[in-house]
Amino acid sequence: VTLHLNPISSVHIHQKPLVFLLNSPLPLVWKLKTERLAPGIRRVFFVSLGSVVHFEKGNFSLSAETEEKFFPEKNEHLLQWAQKEYGAVTSFTELKISRNIYIKVGE
C-alpha cells in the first residue's frame, strides 16, 4: 500500500512531528511518498506485526522511526488505545481494500 503524505493547502512546508498507526490484519509493505514535509522532523510509524515501511530516496527516512506494534483487534479499541497513548487522534481512516492512501497533514 502506498501512503501519500503532503501538507494541507494552507501550509507550504509541514514542520511538526507526526505519529502514524498503520494497522492491517495481514502483514503489509507500506511505501511512503511525501511532498513538502520538512527534513529532520521526528515522524514515527507504528506498524502491525510483520509489516514494514519503505521510504522514498532522500533524507526523510533519517528522521523517521518505524516500530512493529501489537494493536488492539477492533477499530474502537484501537482508537481508544491511541487516544489514551497520545492524548488525541486527529484522523482515523478505515479502508477495506486500497493500494493508495492520501493523507493531508497540517494544523
Side-chain angles (χ1 to χ4, degrees):
V1 174
T2 303
L3 183 61
H4 302 265
L5 302 177
N6 58 345
I8 58 175
S9 60
S10 62
V11 175
H12 182 63
I13 295 180
H14 189 270
Q15 300 187 40
K16 293 188 176 181
L18 295 169
V19 176
F20 288 91
L21 309 178
L22 304 174
N23 189 27
S24 173
L26 298 173
L28 285 180
V29 173
W30 296 90
K31 296 177 187 172
L32 202 63
K33 294 198 179 258
T34 63
E35 290 181 35
R36 300 183 355 252
L37 299 185
I41 306 293
R42 185 171 185 247
R43 296 179 180 100
V44 182
F45 297 86
F46 291 109
V47 296
S48 47
L49 299 178
S51 293
V52 295
V53 178
H54 287 183
F55 299 98
E56 294 178 286
K57 290 183 179 178
N59 58 7
F60 182 84
S61 62
L62 297 176
S63 58
E65 302 168 33
T66 303
E67 182 180 326
E68 282 187 70
K69 198 127 183 119
F70 179 78
F71 291 120
E73 211 169 292
K74 295 187 177 186
N75 284 337
E76 309 86 55
H77 298 143
L78 177 60
L79 185 56
Q80 291 170 355
W81 175 84
Q83 288 171 326
K84 182 179 172 188
E85 192 77 14
Y86 296 100
V89 173
T90 57
S91 177
F92 185 92
T93 304
E94 176 187 8
L95 302 166
K96 297 291 183 196
I97 298 175
S98 182
R99 291 197 173 154
N100 290 284
I101 300 172
Y102 297 84
I103 297 179
K104 300 270 189 190
V105 297
E107 304 286 326

